[in-house]
Amino acid sequence: MLSRLVNFLRACWWPSLDRYAHKGSDASGWQDGLLWYKDNGQHFNGEFSMAVVQANNLLEDQSQIESGSLSTLESGPYGTFVGIYDGHGGPETSRYINDHLFQHLKRFATEQQSMSVDVIKKAYQATEDGFFSLVSKQWPMNPQIAAVGSCCLVGVVCNGTLYIANVGDSRAVLGRLVKANGEVLAIQLSSEHNVAIESVRQEMHSLHPDDSHIVVLKHNVWRVKGLIQISRSIGDVYLKKAEFNREPLYQKFRLRQPFRMPILSSEPSVSMHELQPHDQFLIFASDGLWEHLSNQVAVDIVQNHPRNTSNVALSSSFLITMVVLANEGYKYVLWMDGHGSARRLVKVALQEAAKKREMRYSDLKKIDRGVRRHFHDDITVIVVFLDSNLVSRASSAKGPSLSLRGGGIKLPAKAKAPC
């Protein structure tokens, strides 16, 4: 009975899958219209999966995974670095972070000959300072660059320790096995800086006690000075340096009253976690994912499905199976065709985005980038699986080297493509 079902599904769906040519390679990832993905790869501490879908006319999300040496020293430390950079106002800041943050981290790790919270904080500050210098140079020709910024989520696995650093509202979630019942529990590791959260609003009021309008409810959305939802970022110089909050900056960004101290901060929230053998995987994602999926649903999706077709014993070279996930009100029919975990999470988020707009998923896929932003944000996901045997080895031990950036979608302005 099962074999007949599999053959039926293969016959029905195989032709439709051939319609969309996938461009790329296993090493650099694949492009499928507005979707870029790498379903499976090896990092210093296990395997990983990565996916990006574009909604903005210019992709504002940037991301990277770096594995191997975390310094310029032969002695290490060695480990894995993950970065999710969710830009706003344009792609300039997120691209700058992608080019510079990890290099700064390697420089400070070399100086201290180790990985630490201090190394990560210094790397953030150096990146912020570098982008400020860029804005200063470009201001006379391109003043609007002062209103471009980015969230910045970083994870570093080194010597059995996980470091999580964040500014903005991207999120890192751990999947931890509960031995008592065999379930995998979702544990949020990152602190978010979005004034939709009451504690963040309270923090802003305590930092700016003389400004009763530091946080404003505008069109039913809480915003800092009525302009931006996040309280911490890289960039957004127009809300950190008063000399850039003036003409010729667009009027919509200019404040009526000058400010004496920075309104936004670039100080990351940093935490350390000693990894345990029952820590299964990490999900790093921009808020484009989390506005559609809860932490636990995302963890369940990763846990309940094999990472690739080689782990599925029900087929020969290619298998499509039907899985229904019913959890916390989410009900999807997922056609599992060897999708990596990150790509699967992106597609489920898109299904939910279509559902919220009372439209078919197939119709959502036909919408142009730019216009697509009215339905969902850019979404970036990196899933990092943790092999306890590899995580526990010394940080001086060498492993596979890796340097990969997400995205890279190249489309003509009017292109329409499935994702």
Side-chain angles (χ1 to χ4, degrees):
M1 178 67 183
L2 179 59
S3 62
R4 288 200 298 270
L5 173 62
V6 169
N7 290 334
F8 171 76
L9 294 174
R10 182 184 288 117
C12 289
W13 286 86
W14 186 280
S16 66
L17 294 172
D18 287 339
R19 286 186 297 159
Y20 308 128
H22 292 213
K23 299 180 180 179
S25 69
D26 288 335
S28 61
W30 298 85
Q31 272 180 229
D32 184 6
L34 296 178
L35 175 70
W36 175 95
Y37 63 92
K38 182 171 175 62
D39 281 339
N40 187 270
Q42 191 74 28
H43 68 100
F44 189 81
N45 300 286
E47 297 179 355
F48 75 93
S49 176
M50 196 169 178
V52 181
V53 66
Q54 181 172 344
N56 288 288
N57 192 46
L58 291 176
L59 180 68
E60 295 184 344
D61 275 16
Q62 300 292 314
S63 54
Q64 66 187 133
I65 181 167
E66 310 282 344
S67 192
S69 179
L70 301 178
S71 76
T72 59
L73 301 173
E74 182 69 20
S75 58
Y78 291 84
T80 298
F81 172 97
V82 176
I84 303 278
Y85 318 125
D86 181 0
H88 48 263
E92 291 87 352
T93 311
S94 55
R95 289 175 179 175
Y96 184 89
I97 298 170
N98 221 11
D99 289 338
H100 294 88
L101 178 60
F102 180 63
Q103 299 308 317
H104 287 311
L105 180 133
K106 290 182 70 173
R107 175 164 61 90
F108 292 118
T110 299
E111 291 177 3
Q112 295 193 11
Q113 300 185 33
S114 65
M115 184 53 58
S116 67
V117 170
D118 185 55
V119 164
I120 295 171
K121 286 187 173 182
K122 284 182 174 179
Y124 268 72
Q125 188 60 53
T127 305
E128 168 83 348
D129 293 344
F131 188 73
F132 169 67
S133 296
L134 179 67
V135 171
S136 299
K137 292 176 183 177
Q138 293 192 8
W139 169 264
M141 303 82 68
N142 180 25
Q144 308 316 319
I145 195 173
V148 179
S150 182
C151 302
C152 183
L153 171 66
V154 162
V156 180
V157 181
C158 182
N159 202 24
T161 300
L162 169 66
Y163 300 85
I164 297 290
N166 193 42
V167 295
D169 56 7
S170 296
R171 187 181 303 172
V173 173
L174 170 69
R176 173 173 288 172
L177 178 65
V178 180
K179 292 185 177 180
N181 56 21
E183 296 181 356
V184 175
L185 181 67
I187 301 173
Q188 183 169 327
L189 301 178
S190 54
S191 298
E192 294 176 24
H193 311 110
N194 188 309
V195 291
I197 303 169
E198 184 177 358
S199 61
V200 178
R201 294 199 298 275
Q202 292 174 350
E203 179 185 56
M204 292 299 290
H205 284 298
S206 66
L207 292 172
H208 305 272
D210 299 327
D211 188 349
S212 60
H213 297 96
I214 187 65
V215 182
V216 177
L217 188 62
K218 187 175 181 180
H219 304 306
N220 210 34
V221 177
W222 288 103
R223 297 181 185 274
V224 177
K225 302 301 289 185
L227 293 170
I228 189 169
Q229 291 180 262
I230 57 174
S231 61
R232 304 190 195 188
S233 69
I234 302 295
D236 293 310
V237 178
Y238 77 116
L239 291 177
K240 296 174 180 177
K241 305 280 186 179
E243 60 266 34
F244 294 98
N245 197 287
R246 59 178 176 83
E247 292 184 342
L249 188 69
Y250 292 150
Q251 185 175 0
K252 65 179 181 179
F253 296 123
R254 301 201 302 266
L255 302 179
R256 294 180 180 180
Q257 300 295 328
F259 55 92
R260 293 190 297 270
M261 62 178 290
I263 294 172
L264 301 187
S265 169
S266 62
E267 177 75 14
S269 296
V270 186
S271 58
M272 293 175 56
H273 312 268
E274 294 302 319
L275 292 170
Q276 305 299 321
H278 48 281
D279 294 336
Q280 303 293 295
F281 54 83
L282 299 157
I283 304 173
F284 297 87
S286 56
D287 72 320
L289 180 81
W290 305 114
E291 67 180 274
H292 298 298
L293 300 180
S294 71
N295 294 351
Q296 190 61 54
V297 164
V299 164
D300 289 345
I301 290 170
V302 174
Q303 175 62 20
N304 292 336
H305 304 104
R307 300 180 202 174
N308 54 55
T309 52
S310 64
N311 294 328
V312 183
L314 297 177
S315 76
S316 51
S317 60
F318 190 92
L319 170 67
I320 303 173
T321 71
M322 184 174 70
V323 179
V324 177
L325 171 66
N327 192 350
E328 298 185 16
Y330 295 83
K331 293 184 179 180
Y332 303 102
V333 177
L334 302 180
W335 298 94
M336 304 322 242
D337 55 357
H339 285 15
S341 297
R343 180 157 55 124
R344 188 173 298 125
L345 285 170
V346 166
K347 289 201 169 187
V348 174
L350 295 180
Q351 288 177 332
E352 177 65 9
K355 178 182 174 184
K356 289 177 180 177
R357 299 299 291 269
E358 298 182 344
M359 64 188 304
R360 294 180 299 183
Y361 173 55
S362 58
D363 291 332
L364 176 66
K365 294 191 296 180
K366 299 173 185 177
I367 299 174
D368 284 354
R369 60 197 174 100
V371 178
R372 180 80 78 90
R373 182 61 183 87
H374 297 289
F375 297 84
H376 66 84
D377 199 355
D378 294 339
I379 302 175
T380 298
V381 181
I382 302 177
V383 180
V384 174
F385 294 94
L386 301 169
D387 183 324
S388 59
N389 294 323
L390 299 178
V391 168
S392 61
R393 65 182 170 183
S395 65
S396 58
K398 295 182 180 180
S401 293
L402 167 74
S403 181
L404 181 65
R405 296 189 180 191
I409 300 167
K410 305 294 184 184
L411 290 175
K414 296 297 183 180
K416 294 184 180 180
C419 64

